[in-house]
């Protein structure tokens, strides 16, 4: 679409919108609600959130203090008061930390609370199942409930301590060869480093950012990709944490696309910030890289949530991203969310690189992620040609924990010719249900 066509389209849409508003104004009785359905949906959504929140806190409280454990009354009372205060304060902390105020201290407490209560809820549910089994087997006697309660307290405490260490450490390096049949021989061995979901946020991780940049530089990359969700907050808020990204080196290109979290905090500002740091923002556009006389198209699209943000000129536009690219050249597409692979496969993209899922971040949230995304992590094949690599990401969103979902920096080595492999390890499945295997290596660096 040309600029003049775009301007005409926007003008037409604006005229249509004004006409629609005029019709609504005439048809709607004075004083009537402008959008009763939207108001009803908002109330229903609020009710669902409240019920979920109460359940998240109720089940751990019940397991630890009220399910026949028969603790002394002062213990029961202290636990009940603590959980009640925790539940009541949580929404206010979330609003203060992630609302218009963006108070980092409140966000740190709220995010940690969310992680702790999710792990407690998970293990309380599992403990309840174990309790039922023990009752059926008539094992444990009068101490059953206390044994379950102690286990539900101890196991999550250990997992949360380990999970916090995993979240705050420099990610391990995951190495993987990716065979791209259309890749020219000159590009064989091209080293692509994938960084995703750094999520610079309320916890100051400027030192972590420095060490991540050093780890990326140690991989001697030809191409470095940041697949979005750079931060939670504005560029001004996270300036110190994002600064080390400017020290990252590559031989051919450093490219970046927006993730959904950029649209909570000045997406255009983050595009400008990354350009300032020496990265090439792929805002629905492409760049060509050459190695050994062969060309590779590096294309990128805005996140799929961009259009709903209302930010002018922001939407996932694959046609725009591929504009001017030679259709006979292999294409590496960067799209933040794995589910964009449907469009990528339809367009015959060779390789899509994504993040977003965090590998679930805190087990068993990965099963919920799978309801929204075709892949949670790893390499998969979609359609005749398209491969998708989904990174578990380098950082974390919200709760500073990673439980059974380790962070990663990924080194993809592109190989020309051959058949595409489509999984990191045995048991990964593609969208059509086919199993594949491929060798990988993990570093502790």
């Amino acid at each position: 679409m040309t600029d003049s066509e775009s301007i005409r389209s926007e003008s037409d849409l604006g005229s249509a919108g004004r006409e629609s508003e005029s019709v609504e104004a005439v048809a709607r009785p004075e004083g009537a609600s402008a959008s009763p359905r939207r108001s009803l949906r908002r109330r229903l959504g609020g009710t669902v959130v409240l019920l979920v929140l109460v359940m998240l806190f109720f089940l751990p409280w019940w397991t630890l203090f009220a399910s026949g454990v028969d603790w002394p009354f002062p213990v029961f009372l202290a636990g009940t008061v603590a959980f009640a205060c925790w539940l009541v304060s949580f929404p206010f902390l979330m609003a203060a930390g992630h609302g218009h105020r963006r108070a980092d201290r409140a966000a740190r407490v709220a995010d940690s609370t969310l992680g702790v209560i999710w792990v407690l809820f998970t293990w309380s549910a599992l403990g309840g199942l174990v309790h039922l089994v023990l009752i059926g087997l008539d094992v444990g006697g009068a101490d059953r409930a206390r044994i379950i309660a102690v286990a539900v307290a101890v196991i999550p405490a250990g997992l949360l301590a380990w999970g916090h260490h995993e979240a705050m450490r420099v990610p391990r390096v995951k190495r993987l060869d990716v065979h791209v049949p259309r890749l020219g021989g000159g590009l064989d061995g091209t080293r692509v480093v994938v960084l995703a979901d750094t999520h610079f946020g309320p916890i100051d991780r400027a030192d972590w950012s420095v060490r991540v940049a050093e780890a990326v530089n140690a991989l001697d990359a030809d191409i470095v990709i940041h697949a979005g969700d750079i931060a939670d907050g504005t560029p001004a808020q996270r300036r110190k944490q994002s600064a080390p990204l400017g020290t990252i080196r590559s031989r051919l290109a450093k490219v970046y696309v927006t993730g959904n979290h950029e649209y909570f905090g000045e997406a255009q500002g983050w595009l400008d910030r990354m350009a300032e740091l020496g990265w090439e923002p792929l805002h629905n556009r492409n760049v060509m890289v050459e190695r050994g006389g062969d060309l590779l198209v590096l294309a990128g699209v805005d996140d799929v949530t961009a259009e709903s943000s209302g930010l002018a000129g922001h939407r996932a536009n694959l046609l725009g991203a591929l504009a001017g690219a030679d259709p006979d050249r292999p294409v590496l597409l960067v799209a933040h969310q794995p589910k964009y692979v449907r469009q990528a496969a339809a367009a015959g993209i060779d390789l899509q690189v994504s993040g977003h899922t965090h590998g679930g971040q805190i087990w068993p949230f990965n099963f919920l992620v799978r309801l929204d995304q075709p892949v949670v992590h790893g390499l998969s094949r979609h359609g005749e040609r398209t491969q998708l690599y989904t990174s578990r990401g380098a950082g974390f969103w919200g709760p500073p924990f990673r439980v059974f979902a380790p962070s990663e920096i990924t080194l993809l080595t592109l190989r020309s010719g051959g058949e595409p492999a489509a999984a990191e390890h045995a048991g990964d499945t593609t969208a059509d249900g086919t199993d594949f295997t491929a060798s990988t290596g993990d570093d502790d660096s």
Side-chain angles (χ1 to χ4, degrees):
M1 180 182 286
T2 65
D3 290 342
S4 61
E5 289 172 335
S6 176
I7 292 169
R8 283 199 300 273
S9 298
E10 291 176 8
S11 176
D12 293 342
L13 286 170
S15 299
R18 287 190 292 273
E19 290 172 8
S20 175
E21 288 169 4
S22 299
V23 171
E24 281 188 6
V26 171
R28 190 170 60 242
E30 187 176 352
S33 172
S35 52
R37 288 183 180 177
R38 185 182 302 171
S39 178
L40 178 60
R41 284 198 300 268
R42 197 175 291 134
R43 287 197 297 270
L44 287 174
T47 301
V48 170
V49 169
L50 179 61
L51 290 174
V52 169
L53 190 59
V54 169
M55 182 57 66
L56 280 173
F57 281 83
F58 174 80
L59 186 57
W61 168 79
W62 175 263
T63 303
L64 293 172
F65 298 103
S67 60
V69 290
D70 197 26
W71 299 120
F73 181 74
V75 174
F76 169 79
L77 181 62
T80 301
V81 170
F83 266 85
C85 292
W86 209 12
L87 170 59
V88 170
S89 65
F90 178 69
F92 296 99
L93 289 167
M94 285 294 285
H98 296 287
H100 294 299
R101 288 176 56 195
R102 293 186 180 276
D104 281 351
R105 182 176 297 178
R108 287 193 293 269
V109 176
D111 293 344
S112 297
T113 294
L114 182 60
V116 171
I117 204 66
W118 171 253
V119 174
L120 279 173
F121 174 83
T122 298
W123 288 89
S124 294
L126 292 174
L129 293 175
V130 171
H131 197 175
L132 290 175
V133 171
L134 293 179
I135 290 173
L137 297 174
D138 195 23
V139 174
D143 293 328
R144 267 193 305 261
R146 284 196 178 190
I147 292 170
I148 295 296
V150 170
V152 166
V154 171
I155 293 174
L159 287 175
L160 287 165
W162 169 65
H164 182 69
H165 168 75
E166 284 292 311
M168 301 300 291
R169 63 165 291 160
V170 174
R172 297 171 180 85
V173 176
K174 180 172 287 293
R175 302 168 184 268
L176 179 66
D177 285 356
V178 180
H179 291 266
V180 181
R182 295 203 304 159
L183 193 73
L187 288 160
D188 186 74
T190 298
R191 297 164 69 84
V192 179
V193 173
V194 181
L195 193 61
D197 301 287
T198 44
H199 282 284
F200 301 125
I203 297 175
D204 185 356
R205 289 183 292 141
D207 290 342
W208 176 87
S209 184
V210 169
R211 289 180 287 136
V212 166
E214 290 171 348
V216 170
N217 285 334
L219 296 175
D220 192 28
D222 296 300
I223 298 166
V224 181
I225 292 169
H226 195 303
D229 275 8
I230 186 172
D232 295 301
T234 66
Q237 281 181 300
R238 311 306 177 207
R239 190 170 186 85
K240 182 181 176 184
Q241 294 184 61
S242 63
L245 295 180
T247 67
I248 289 178
R249 300 184 299 272
S250 68
R251 276 187 288 273
L252 301 177
K254 295 188 299 182
V255 298
Y256 159 74
V257 298
T258 53
N260 57 308
H261 280 253
E262 278 83 335
Y263 291 95
F264 303 145
E266 301 180 10
Q268 186 59 52
W270 278 114
L271 289 168
D272 297 340
R273 173 61 171 159
M274 289 297 273
E276 176 189 330
L277 292 171
W279 292 67
E280 189 79 41
L282 296 183
H283 178 33
N284 296 320
R285 53 187 291 268
N286 68 78
V287 295
M288 301 282 288
V289 296
E290 181 180 357
R291 184 172 181 263
D294 287 308
L295 295 172
L296 173 67
V297 179
L298 290 177
V301 292
D302 296 342
D303 184 65
V304 295
T305 62
E307 188 168 13
S308 64
S309 73
L311 193 60
H314 285 252
R315 64 187 180 95
N317 180 2
L318 185 55
L319 287 177
L322 297 176
D326 185 342
D328 293 327
R329 302 294 181 187
V331 179
L332 191 164
L333 174 70
V334 189
H336 178 64
Q337 298 198 37
K339 64 184 175 184
Y340 200 74
V341 76
R342 298 181 186 93
Q343 291 88 329
I349 298 298
D350 297 88
L351 174 63
Q352 176 179 314
V353 171
S354 299
H356 184 67
T357 68
H358 300 202
Q361 187 166 323
I362 302 176
W363 182 87
F365 201 76
N366 52 300
F367 296 108
L368 297 180
V369 172
R370 187 63 180 81
L371 297 177
D372 182 53
Q373 301 292 335
V375 178
V376 176
H377 70 90
L379 187 65
S380 54
R381 190 170 71 212
H382 303 261
E384 291 287 325
R385 176 191 295 171
T386 303
Q387 296 180 83
L388 165 67
Y389 185 79
T390 304
S391 168
R392 282 186 288 230
F396 56 86
W397 171 83
F401 307 104
R402 276 185 172 269
V403 178
F404 304 133
S407 58
E408 67 176 73
I409 296 169
T410 317
L411 174 59
L412 303 178
T413 302
L414 303 186
R415 297 297 180 188
S416 63
E419 285 298 315
E424 283 187 83
H425 54 272
D428 274 9
T429 60
T430 62
D432 63 3
T434 309
D435 287 330
F436 294 92
T437 58
S439 61
T440 64
D442 290 333
D443 289 349
D444 285 333
S445 58

